[in-house]
Amino acid sequence: MKDYIVEHKWKIIEESYNSDYNQITESLMSLGNGKMGQRANYEESFSGPSLQGSYIAGVYYPDKTRVGWWKNGYPEYFAKVLNSVNWIGIDVKVGNEQLDLAKAKTIHSFYRELDMQKGYLYRKMEVTLNNNARLIIESTRINSMANDELGAISYSVKSVNYDGPLTLSPYLDFDVANEDSNYDEKFWLSEEAIANSNECYVSCTTKKTEFVVGAAMTNNFFLNDEKINSTIEYKTKDKKAIATTVFNIASGDTLTIEKYAGLTSSMHYSNSDIKRNAIQIANTAAQYSFSHHLDRHTEAWSHIWETCDIKIKGDVAAQQGIRFNIFQLYQTYTGQDDRLNIGPKGFTGEKYGGSTYWDTEAYCLPFYLSTTNTEVGKNLLIYRYKQLDKAIENAEKLGFTCGAALYPMVTMTGEECHNEWEITFEEIHRNGAIAYAIFDYIRYTGDHSYLEEYGIEVLVAIARFWAQRVNWSSKREKYVMLGVTGPNEYENNVNNNWYTNYIACWCLKYADESLVYVKETNPSRYIEIIKKIDFVEGELSKWKDIVANMYYPEDEDLGIFLQQDNYLDKEQITVDQLDKKHRPINQKWSWDRILRSCFIKQADVLQGMYFFEEDFSLEEHMNNFRFYEPRTVHESSLSPCVHGILASKLELHDKAYEMYLRTSRLDLDDYNNDTEDGCHITSMAGTWLSIVKGFGGQRVQENKLSFTTSIPKKWEELRFKIKFRANLFEVIIGQDKTEILNLEGPASELYLNGQLITTKSLATISTLN
């Protein structure tokens, strides 16, 4: 764990220069607006440890897979969202010395903050350079939420003791690389670089995929707050446009540049319109002050926070954690484009390629369903529907037939592009998460039309996959599933992973029930669908037989479901018996040692019990939780939130609080020593779940919202808002009672701590906890 971020309700604060932690802070203080993102790199030159990162949503490159050996069906590439144009750059030269914090003679003070309430990055530092010039540097930066193709910076240099020339060179640089490039390849081909008094512009095209990205900049200069005109030298290099101006300053003077960048791409414009629009965005922005753009940006964030904020009274660390998680989620995905999805690192780093994983369906969907309009959640489902043909192709490559679909573990286009065989071929439980998301969306929104319009085709294709993936064991006289990897990736190529077997059967049942529903409610659409997908009702008998005769490993003496066959053959030791020097084991142990151990990377059996809690008794929940939680190292970011939700359900309040802090502060405290390459965005949705479904006990019961509430002893009060169909509710949970305000919508019935209560419009109800 790291302990250098200051606790604050609304800010992420670094109060001193920490070179060793700089890449962590770059991740934590990243900015984004759903269409583009930027790590918290310095504007000026910096030779210290840094991962330069600027990203454009949806723009990717199919980096050729790098493996030791090839297998049939193996993906040809690993899709990567690319490090894109460096639009923030401002070189600063004082006399003949370049400003570089890593080379400064003295750092007198350093302060950097991410203001989550207003959505900006701020930095102030005072340094003395080797030429003895003492300067105060101050910068504020936004990726505008009011105009999602605009980046803006206010950057000032104040001379404390220096008299002489000060050179500012704002630039756009497309000569960038990805650190995770498999073959050290650069992915951009130069299109155009222009620098003159009318326009500064660069554009490049991705190799193979031929995405075009253009960036334009316009700069305004101020001396002691007075706007000034200056002589500017323009020049271009390969993929770079630079505007250099020299000022003579005196001690006490402050020179400020307001830099505006317009970023456009072929995701949203024809190639012929990219340049014109980028230049127009930058030039139009420069007609207004930076404070104008900051105000509009802040106003956009205030509208977001109005609904999605969670307030915790009495615990600053917990408050900071949940707001940080919500902030990063809304920076990553706004739901306006159904071609986009949520990468596990969002716009904060390169790891995982920025691609789509099963995390979206399992963790992110409930957050967006509850905090914004229904179309946002629906777009996440439509993203998968549009990729159904590719999912069928993926299954065909592995030998499946008759319209069976295997959704990819990692994708940009629907085609599988993961480069580890034990996940590509075996972590097939992701299919279940896609189906569960359809169920979850319909249960929450009541939008049954989605089933007949889109969902049923996906459900049948997934069911067909499961029906072919199992096989009959004559020895057991049961269906079994061999050679899989469950959510717990510390056990590969196992037989009869309980979670995978269970969700496979659930998918078969749900597909069957959905077909019946559509047949009864819309017979003409049913006929249209079964013709389109060549469905024969004889398939249902096979599905029913599998559901009735699936094998589930369990141990009756312990009263638990087994992770997989032979799990208890492993040496059964618990995490508290591990020396801390062995943690995290994924960085300290060999893979062989990990696979032979009983240790669990993330919830597996417990993941299934979280999804399908109504299928199991409280005793079964408790037995499995008490057995598996002590064996779980939580080295997946997706693990603590599930444990936290179940701990709340089981009234294990101290454990629920421990798991909440772990998930909410996973990146802030760098629990797993892996924040430097980006934050864990999708697990941040799990943090929201740990509050709303954990401490709030929110469920959908009998088509109604239900809450069973409890909060940690340390908290005085917990407040959150939640949208449900036509209503917006505010939930206020104290130590002794819970209140619910019906802020918008008609009178509505809901369950509160076991009581069925009617909430009238604009009225408050309450119960004792």
Side-chain angles (χ1 to χ4, degrees):
M1 284 178 60
K2 311 296 188 298
D3 187 23
Y4 73 102
I5 296 298
V6 178
E7 292 181 2
H8 189 284
K9 292 180 180 180
W10 276 111
K11 296 179 179 181
I12 310 302
I13 298 172
E14 182 184 33
E15 288 187 318
S16 61
Y17 175 60
N18 297 282
S19 177
D20 291 343
Y21 296 163
N22 185 58
Q23 287 178 254
I24 297 172
T25 311
E26 287 179 340
S27 298
L28 296 178
M29 297 190 183
S30 296
L31 297 177
N33 59 20
K35 191 174 283 186
M36 62 179 182
Q38 172 67 51
R39 282 172 62 85
N41 309 118
Y42 301 138
E43 290 86 1
E44 71 276 2
S45 296
F46 181 66
S47 58
S50 177
L51 173 62
Q52 195 276 326
S54 174
Y55 311 101
I56 306 295
V59 175
Y60 75 96
Y61 176 79
D63 195 12
K64 184 172 174 57
T65 297
R66 187 169 189 168
V67 293
W69 67 94
W70 207 261
K71 297 181 183 297
N72 290 335
Y74 210 92
E76 295 283 337
Y77 66 90
F78 193 104
K80 292 174 178 175
V81 171
L82 302 183
N83 185 11
S84 185
V85 58
N86 177 5
W87 64 269
I88 67 171
I90 304 172
D91 279 341
V92 180
K93 201 170 184 181
V94 185
N96 293 319
E97 184 173 349
Q98 192 89 9
L99 173 61
D100 181 340
L101 191 59
K103 297 178 179 179
K105 180 179 181 180
T106 307
I107 301 173
H108 302 283
S109 64
F110 181 94
Y111 180 89
R112 182 163 42 168
E113 74 172 30
L114 174 69
D115 188 313
M116 299 179 290
Q117 186 173 26
K118 298 181 178 179
Y120 65 77
L121 174 64
Y122 172 78
R123 176 168 55 109
K124 185 175 184 179
M125 62 187 192
E126 185 169 354
V127 300
T128 295
L129 305 185
N130 291 293
N131 62 10
N132 292 317
R134 186 162 179 165
L135 309 169
I136 297 173
I137 311 297
E138 200 166 0
S139 68
T140 305
R141 184 161 84 222
I142 62 171
N143 280 30
S144 177
M145 276 287 193
N147 180 349
D148 58 14
E149 294 173 320
L150 174 66
I153 302 169
S154 174
Y155 186 96
S156 67
V157 181
K158 180 177 181 178
S159 171
V160 176
N161 67 351
Y162 173 75
D163 300 324
L166 177 67
T167 306
L168 295 183
S169 298
Y171 62 85
L172 301 168
D173 186 8
F174 234 131
D175 188 17
V176 295
N178 271 52
E179 283 199 5
D180 68 349
S181 171
N182 285 340
Y183 296 92
D184 298 323
E185 180 182 11
K186 288 189 175 181
F187 303 136
W188 295 99
L189 297 174
S190 181
E191 281 280 320
E192 193 171 10
I194 303 169
N196 57 50
S197 59
N198 295 317
E199 55 193 37
C200 282
Y201 175 79
V202 294
S203 63
C204 279
T205 303
T206 57
K207 298 177 181 178
K208 297 183 182 180
T209 46
E210 297 184 341
F211 290 103
V212 180
V213 172
M217 72 171 176
T218 305
N219 307 289
N220 292 328
F221 297 94
F222 301 83
L223 183 61
N224 300 325
D225 297 328
E226 293 292 328
K227 188 173 182 180
I228 55 175
N229 295 318
S230 58
T231 301
I232 299 176
E233 177 189 353
Y234 297 95
K235 65 178 180 179
T236 62
K237 293 182 179 179
D238 182 38
K239 303 179 183 176
K240 190 170 184 177
I242 310 165
T244 299
T245 185
V246 182
F247 302 88
N248 285 307
I249 64 170
S251 300
D253 283 346
T254 299
L255 183 63
T256 301
I257 176 175
E258 293 184 353
K259 179 177 180 179
Y260 303 101
L263 289 91
T264 54
S265 78
S266 54
M267 284 286 293
H268 305 284
Y269 299 98
S270 65
N271 288 359
S272 60
D273 287 337
I274 290 172
K275 177 181 176 181
R276 176 176 57 82
N277 281 280
I279 292 171
Q280 182 180 19
I281 291 165
N283 287 345
T284 301
Q287 295 174 20
Y288 300 89
S289 67
F290 178 82
S291 61
H292 166 83
H293 295 291
L294 180 60
D295 288 345
R296 293 187 67 222
H297 173 72
T298 299
E299 183 180 1
W301 267 112
S302 71
H303 289 307
I304 294 171
W305 284 118
E306 189 175 326
T307 300
C308 74
D309 189 22
I310 290 178
K311 300 174 183 178
I312 298 170
K313 188 181 293 186
D315 190 340
V316 175
Q319 178 68 85
Q320 183 183 42
I322 186 57
R323 282 181 172 147
F324 175 67
N325 285 246
I326 293 170
F327 178 75
Q328 291 291 0
L329 280 163
Y330 267 104
Q331 288 200 129
T332 302
Y333 183 77
T334 59
Q336 297 177 20
D337 190 338
D338 63 23
R339 297 172 299 171
L340 302 178
N341 208 276
I342 305 161
K345 294 285 185 178
F347 293 127
T348 69
E350 297 176 8
K351 194 174 181 181
Y352 306 123
S355 302
T356 302
Y357 283 61
W358 70 293
D359 310 14
T360 292
E361 284 74 26
Y363 297 88
C364 298
L365 178 65
F367 168 77
Y368 289 101
L369 286 178
S370 300
T371 62
T372 189
N373 64 73
T374 301
E375 290 302 309
V376 173
K378 188 174 183 179
N379 279 343
L380 288 174
L381 300 187
I382 290 175
Y383 176 88
R384 295 291 193 178
Y385 173 78
K386 288 184 174 181
Q387 295 180 353
L388 177 58
D389 289 345
K390 287 289 186 182
I392 292 171
E393 286 181 22
N394 293 335
E396 288 174 347
K397 290 176 183 177
L398 302 184
F400 295 86
T401 60
C402 302
L406 176 59
Y407 275 91
M409 187 65 183
V410 175
T411 194
M412 289 296 297
T413 64
E415 187 173 28
E416 177 63 78
C417 60
H418 198 281
N419 60 3
E420 296 175 29
W421 69 269
E422 68 271 20
I423 293 176
T424 304
F425 300 142
E426 295 190 345
E427 206 162 325
I428 53 178
H429 63 83
R430 70 231 190 199
N431 248 14
I434 309 298
Y436 187 84
I438 295 171
F439 163 77
D440 204 21
Y441 168 82
I442 293 171
R443 174 178 61 175
Y444 197 84
T445 64
D447 179 17
H448 290 276
S449 66
Y450 183 84
L451 199 60
E452 58 195 46
E453 190 173 359
Y454 303 105
I456 197 67
E457 294 179 51
V458 174
L459 294 173
V460 170
I462 288 173
R464 285 169 163 171
F465 171 83
W466 291 122
Q468 295 175 46
R469 185 60 174 77
V470 302
N471 60 274
W472 178 257
S473 167
S474 56
K475 180 180 179 180
R476 295 187 188 275
E477 295 188 337
K478 292 282 186 179
Y479 286 98
V480 296
M481 188 125 44
L482 309 178
V484 303
T485 299
N488 172 31
E489 293 169 343
Y490 286 176
E491 292 170 317
N492 300 154
N493 198 31
V494 301
N495 296 333
N496 295 308
N497 173 263
W498 181 88
Y499 172 74
T500 306
N501 286 16
Y502 199 91
I503 203 166
C505 283
W506 178 87
C507 289
L508 292 168
K509 286 190 291 185
Y510 185 53
D512 183 354
E513 293 167 1
S514 298
L515 282 166
V516 171
Y517 176 84
V518 175
K519 185 177 183 179
E520 291 177 351
T521 59
N522 194 339
S524 61
R525 176 59 178 156
Y526 175 79
I527 293 170
E528 182 183 340
I529 291 170
I530 62 172
K531 284 183 178 178
K532 179 180 179 181
I533 63 177
D534 295 323
F535 182 78
V536 292
E537 296 204 0
E539 294 182 62
L540 293 176
S541 60
K542 176 67 180 293
W543 298 359
K544 293 178 186 294
D545 189 47
I546 294 169
V547 170
N549 295 286
M550 177 61 82
Y551 167 70
Y552 300 104
E554 60 180 298
D555 186 280
E556 293 183 0
D557 292 336
L558 293 172
I560 62 169
F561 306 115
L562 291 181
Q563 288 272 118
Q564 70 273 334
D565 287 346
N566 304 317
Y567 176 76
L568 291 180
D569 290 342
K570 298 187 175 198
E571 182 184 10
Q572 295 298 314
I573 59 177
T574 53
V575 175
D576 61 3
Q577 296 173 273
L578 271 179
D579 192 311
K580 289 183 179 180
K581 69 182 181 182
H582 292 287
R583 303 289 306 278
I585 63 173
N586 62 16
Q587 297 172 24
K588 303 296 178 64
W589 284 9
S590 69
W591 195 238
D592 170 73
R593 187 177 181 183
I594 290 172
L595 293 176
R596 288 187 288 107
S597 79
C598 71
F599 294 122
I600 299 167
K601 182 182 182 185
Q602 72 178 80
D604 201 323
V605 168
L606 300 183
Q607 178 78 39
M609 302 192 82
Y610 158 64
F611 271 168
F612 308 112
E613 64 177 348
E614 295 176 357
D615 296 352
F616 307 103
S617 68
L618 201 61
E619 181 182 9
E620 288 173 316
H621 275 89
M622 183 65 82
N623 287 346
N624 283 276
F625 187 90
R626 289 200 181 280
F627 182 81
Y628 285 114
E629 196 284 327
R631 291 162 172 79
T632 302
V633 290
H634 300 296
E635 288 172 12
S636 165
S637 64
L638 301 174
S639 184
C641 61
V642 171
H643 284 78
I645 295 166
L646 293 180
S648 288
K649 177 186 179 70
L650 296 170
E651 299 183 0
L652 302 173
H653 301 302
D654 290 343
K655 179 59 68 173
Y657 180 63
E658 175 195 337
M659 290 293 100
Y660 166 73
L661 282 184
R662 178 151 188 149
T663 184
S664 69
R665 300 192 63 85
L666 178 76
D667 291 310
L668 291 175
D669 296 333
D670 195 24
Y671 268 93
N672 291 336
N673 295 323
D674 59 359
T675 304
E676 64 184 19
D677 56 21
C679 297
H680 299 80
I681 302 300
T682 48
S683 80
M684 291 176 172
T687 302
W688 181 90
L689 291 171
S690 70
I691 283 192
V692 175
K693 290 185 178 291
F695 302 127
Q698 180 270 316
R699 306 289 192 272
V700 177
Q701 179 183 346
E702 297 174 2
N703 223 27
K704 302 175 179 65
L705 265 188
S706 173
F707 298 94
T708 304
T709 61
S710 64
I711 58 173
K713 295 175 183 177
K714 186 175 181 179
W715 296 2
E716 298 171 30
E717 184 180 271
L718 168 65
R719 283 178 178 251
F720 60 86
K721 293 178 182 176
I722 187 166
K723 290 189 174 185
F724 182 71
R725 304 185 184 181
N727 292 90
L728 173 64
F729 298 103
E730 183 172 19
V731 181
I732 307 168
I733 308 170
Q735 287 293 339
D736 300 319
K737 72 173 183 177
T738 298
E739 296 179 291
I740 296 183
L741 287 69
N742 187 350
L743 298 176
E744 293 178 13
S748 178
E749 288 186 326
L750 56 78
Y751 287 96
L752 178 55
N753 293 325
Q755 299 180 42
L756 180 61
I757 299 175
T758 299
T759 64
K760 296 180 181 179
S761 181
L762 301 177
T764 302
I765 59 170
S766 66
T767 68
L768 298 178
N769 292 343

